[in-house]
Structures are given as C-alpha cells and as structure tokens.
Amino acid sequence: MTTKSPGTSPQRCLATNNAKRVPLTQKKATVPSSPVPSRVPTKRLTSLLPRSTRHAASARPAGCTQNHIEQLPPEILMKILWNLDASSLYCIGYVNKLLYKLAKNNAMWRKIYSAKYGESKKLKAKHMDEVVEKLSVMKVQERPGGYWRRLYFRTVAGYNHTKWLKELRTINPFTGLPSHTEKVLREQHVAWEITVCDRSVCEGTFEQSHTYYSDSSVTLCWTNGSWPAFHQLSTIQLHGVKRVPLKCPSAIKPGWKSLMAQLDIDTISKSSQVIGGDRLVKLVLLSPGIVIGIWRGQSSIAFVMATFHYHRLLERSLLGSSVCPYTIPETRPLFDDVDPNYGLHGYTLHITLHNTVTEIMSGHFPQLFCRKASYCGEIPQAFKQKNCCMMSLTLLDESQIPFWCVSTPVSMVLANEEPFSYDYQGQHFLIKYKDAEGKVQMDVVLLEEQRQFFLINLVVYISTVKVNQHFGRAY
C-alpha cells in the first residue's frame, strides 16, 4: 500500500492557473479576529454521541487517532472480508491479531479455492473428484483453522506440476538425468532458503545469494545475513521455496516451503569434519552435503554452501511440506529369473568434479560390472584441482534408471600407503567418499612438469543390501 505525500493535486493546480486574476487593489483580504462559530454547539454534538464513545474521546490524548475497525462487530468485519480477493485477504492479515485470526476463516478461503479450481474446465475427471470431496460442507467444518488457506497457496504454487513433469521426460543420454532440469527450475522461480537456530532459540532465515548449475547438480551459497556462532548452532533447515504470484509486497509474499534437509544439534556435533580451507576460512562438512565456512581464529560463520543432485530435485524442492520432505517413490525393475547375475552388471557411471565457478573433470563409464577387472572405459584423465571440490555422481542400473545419486563436497589428501601405479612418477593423492549406500575412491597423481593431477584409478563400491532391495535378490 503506497501513500501519497500531501500537496496540491494536479487537477487543483490546473484550476488555479485558469482562474481569473483579480488585482489586489480591487479586493481587500479580511482576517477574522476570532474563529467562526459552528451552527451546532459543541456541547450538543458531544451529547449526541454514545456514553462509551464520549468517555473514550475525553480520555484519548491529543493527536491520537481512533481505530474504528477494531470497534466494529466481528459480523461486520466478516462481511467486509468476504468481498476481498486472495491477495487482499492475505495482506490484511498482517494488520493486527484480530484481522489475522478472521482472515484465516476456512469458509472464505474455501470459496476462493472453489472459485479458482472447483469450476475450472482444465481439471481432469480424477482431479474433479478430489476437489468435490474437499469442497463438501463436512470437510470444511472438520478441517483445522487455516487449512483452506494453506491448500490454496500450495495449489497455486504447484498447480502446473503436470506441465513441468512433462518437460522432465527428456533424458540426457550422457548423464541419464532430465535434460531440462535447470530450465524448469528457472521458469518455476524456485529458490532455496536456510533457517538456522541457535541454542538461545533465536531463529534466522536467509535466501541464497549465489547459485551455480552444473550438468548433474546445483550448488547454493548463502553469504548475506547475521549468522550465529558455529558452536551455538542447534538446528539447520534447508527448504525449497516457490513464491505464489500474488499482488502483495515481496517482504510478505506467500510461498510454499518444502523441507529438503534438517540437522539437529547431535548431527551437527557428531558429523562435522574439516575438509579444507585457506588462510582466511576453514571448511567444515556437515552431512548431507552442507559446508560451513568459519573464519580462522574465530567461531563466527562466513558462509554456508550446499549442493543438491538433479535426481528428483524438482519434486524435493516443490512437493514436500515445511516439516516433512518429499518421499521418492520406489521404481523397482522387472524381476529377471533367467539371468543369474541380474543386478550385477550393466551399470553406467557419470561422475563430475566441479567448484562454484567451473567444471574440473567429467567422466562417463558404461557397462560396469560388480566383478574385478570387468569394468570398461578409459580411466586416466588429467585435471587441475585444489584440495577441495564438489563431486556429483550418478550411477544407473542396466535399465538406465538412477540407482545411486550423490552430490557432495570431497577433499583430496596425500596417500600414506604405497603408490597404486608405478607408471606415473609423482605424489599420489586420494579422494574418498562413503555413506550407507556406497563408497567411492579415486587415486590421482600429481605430474610436476605439467602441473596437473592425473586420475589413474576409480573404484565404486555398492552396498549388497541396496542391490538386494533394488533388484529383489538375495546376494
């Protein structure tokens, strides 16, 4: 709501310029010595007011205006609110507590929801049955306060999910992932927020300040804001946010939040490990894939960085709730009782090392087997890297369905054991990653003359439990 500054309106200025000018000698200005009395005495006006109003007017200090809206009966306020649209009804809830409570009325938001979606011809028959069920009178009465308000915003935020699901059907043959993930993320205006809470229950929410898209993952960075000390962190939450296109100020614009990661105080204290840094900051890795930069010699936070894999990223960012993440449905391949080694061969691996600026190394390895010396592909690759980067790994099964997807920061450390290969002279380094589903180990050697790292060995380990669950086997 904007307020115009007091002054002469354009129409009034135009009338003044067109008026007939009268010389000052023809007409003398008279200034009254005393104010002109009113036709109705002030005492009589005061006596006409109700007794409660007269008492409030006499007790009110000078210059204080009366809030006439709060003095209206709730029935009259509800009549006014019933005539507002969704944007106005949402914004008026920020005026005071009374209007916030009244503006969450289920009946009003049910009417707005049914007007927009209940009679839409674009809805299919199966969606119409669901809408009719939700619009029944008993359902409205049984729902808690604010249910239809939340349902309206969630439906508006993800109403075109069938459209962007169709756009994600095109698969990139090189990565095995949807080709238009970045395009859909930008078109849907998906953002990500991080909410941190310290041990004194002080909470702060920050929007990402930098976003980097690679071929199989997105890296987010939060640098702005007043962060609490690292040792004071109690909870960290990452949400995908879709803003609702309503005509209201951006500061209070509604949106739908989908929980993507949540860390409590125990996870922060147990899983934190230093993976790198420089002269200014040190990098602390938190599971899953969250990096916190801490100023050296201090405990204050410089930035927070997270990386998410493209696999089901749209669904995880939009279709979850603020307290519950999106559940990825299980897609088990058909059972094969002819091949005794079904589930042990035909894998395809796509792995990428990158930072927040550019891609460092990318490799594609088809026809991998779960037996020694059975994988194919030229392993040796040269690349330049510092001691820490992002690794995005996509492992596809023999049906080219994503089997194991990981996007996480990794660090490179000097190998203490004997060199893996004697064909390359130089220092040997290791890049390792491990979780409950699998493990990755990369052996690299530093070539001093070329000033490059050379990848000479890459091994991917898969948990037997994961293989049995995915293929329905008992290996």
Side-chain angles (χ1 to χ4, degrees), residues 45-325:
L45 282 175
T46 309
S47 62
L48 294 177
L49 297 175
R51 181 175 300 177
S52 59
T53 308
R54 293 201 308 266
H55 178 72
S58 60
R60 191 184 309 118
C64 180
T65 58
Q66 183 180 1
N67 190 349
H68 298 282
I69 297 180
E70 292 185 350
Q71 292 188 353
L72 293 176
E75 296 80 6
I76 303 299
L77 288 176
M78 292 298 296
K79 286 284 186 180
I80 298 174
L81 298 182
W82 269 89
N83 297 316
L84 300 180
D85 58 355
S87 302
S88 303
L89 190 60
Y90 175 79
C91 294
I92 203 172
Y94 284 86
V95 175
N96 52 36
K97 293 182 179 180
L98 175 62
L99 293 177
Y100 175 76
K101 182 179 179 180
L102 296 177
K104 293 175 62 177
N105 182 270
N106 274 338
M108 289 189 297
W109 285 103
R110 170 191 175 271
K111 183 196 72 170
I112 297 175
Y113 182 88
S114 61
K116 187 174 182 64
Y117 299 107
E119 301 176 359
S120 177
K121 298 180 180 179
K122 297 180 180 180
L123 292 176
K124 296 182 180 180
K126 60 180 180 179
H127 292 165
M128 283 298 299
D129 298 337
E130 181 182 357
V131 171
V132 172
E133 179 184 0
K134 291 178 180 179
L135 296 182
S136 62
V137 178
M138 299 214 30
K139 289 288 182 181
V140 174
Q141 296 177 354
E142 292 175 357
R143 299 300 184 184
Y147 167 80
W148 288 96
R149 179 174 176 267
R150 294 191 300 268
L151 180 62
Y152 174 82
F153 290 144
R154 180 177 183 179
T155 309
V156 172
Y159 181 62
N160 294 327
H161 69 279
T162 55
K163 179 181 179 181
W164 54 258
L165 282 176
K166 292 180 181 179
E167 296 183 6
L168 296 180
R169 293 177 181 176
T170 305
I171 303 299
N172 187 341
F174 187 69
T175 62
L177 300 171
S179 303
H180 305 300
T181 302
E182 180 182 352
K183 174 186 174 183
V184 177
L185 286 172
R186 295 183 182 274
E187 290 179 350
Q188 295 295 320
H189 303 285
V190 180
W192 293 271
E193 291 182 354
I194 183 171
T195 302
V196 296
C197 185
D198 58 13
R199 299 186 181 182
S200 60
V201 201
C202 292
E203 188 177 280
T205 301
F206 311 96
E207 295 185 358
Q208 87 270 10
S209 55
H210 176 72
T211 306
Y212 170 73
Y213 294 93
S214 66
D215 59 352
S216 56
S217 65
V218 57
T219 303
L220 313 171
C221 188
W222 294 267
T223 57
N224 302 326
S226 179
W227 302 92
F230 177 74
H231 65 277
Q232 292 291 334
L233 289 178
S234 61
T235 58
I236 298 177
Q237 291 182 340
L238 284 174
H239 290 91
V241 180
K242 173 65 184 299
R243 297 299 181 188
V244 178
L246 291 182
K247 296 180 180 179
C248 56
S250 58
I252 62 172
K253 189 178 289 295
W256 182 257
K257 289 187 176 183
S258 177
L259 181 63
M260 303 185 66
Q262 183 174 5
L263 303 176
D264 55 8
I265 186 173
D266 295 333
T267 306
I268 295 174
S269 59
K270 293 180 180 179
S271 65
S272 60
Q273 56 177 332
V274 179
I275 61 172
D278 54 17
R279 294 179 297 176
L280 297 178
V281 297
K282 62 178 179 180
L283 303 179
V284 179
L285 175 63
L286 303 179
S287 179
I290 301 176
V291 175
I292 298 181
I294 304 177
W295 296 110
R296 288 196 177 274
Q298 306 177 20
S299 61
S300 57
I301 298 177
F303 61 88
V304 179
M305 189 164 50
T307 176
F308 294 112
H309 199 276
Y310 277 170
H311 179 55
R312 301 286 186 175
L313 180 58
L314 265 299
E315 293 86 345
R316 288 184 293 155
S317 301
L318 296 178
L319 301 184
S321 66
S322 59
V323 295
C324 182

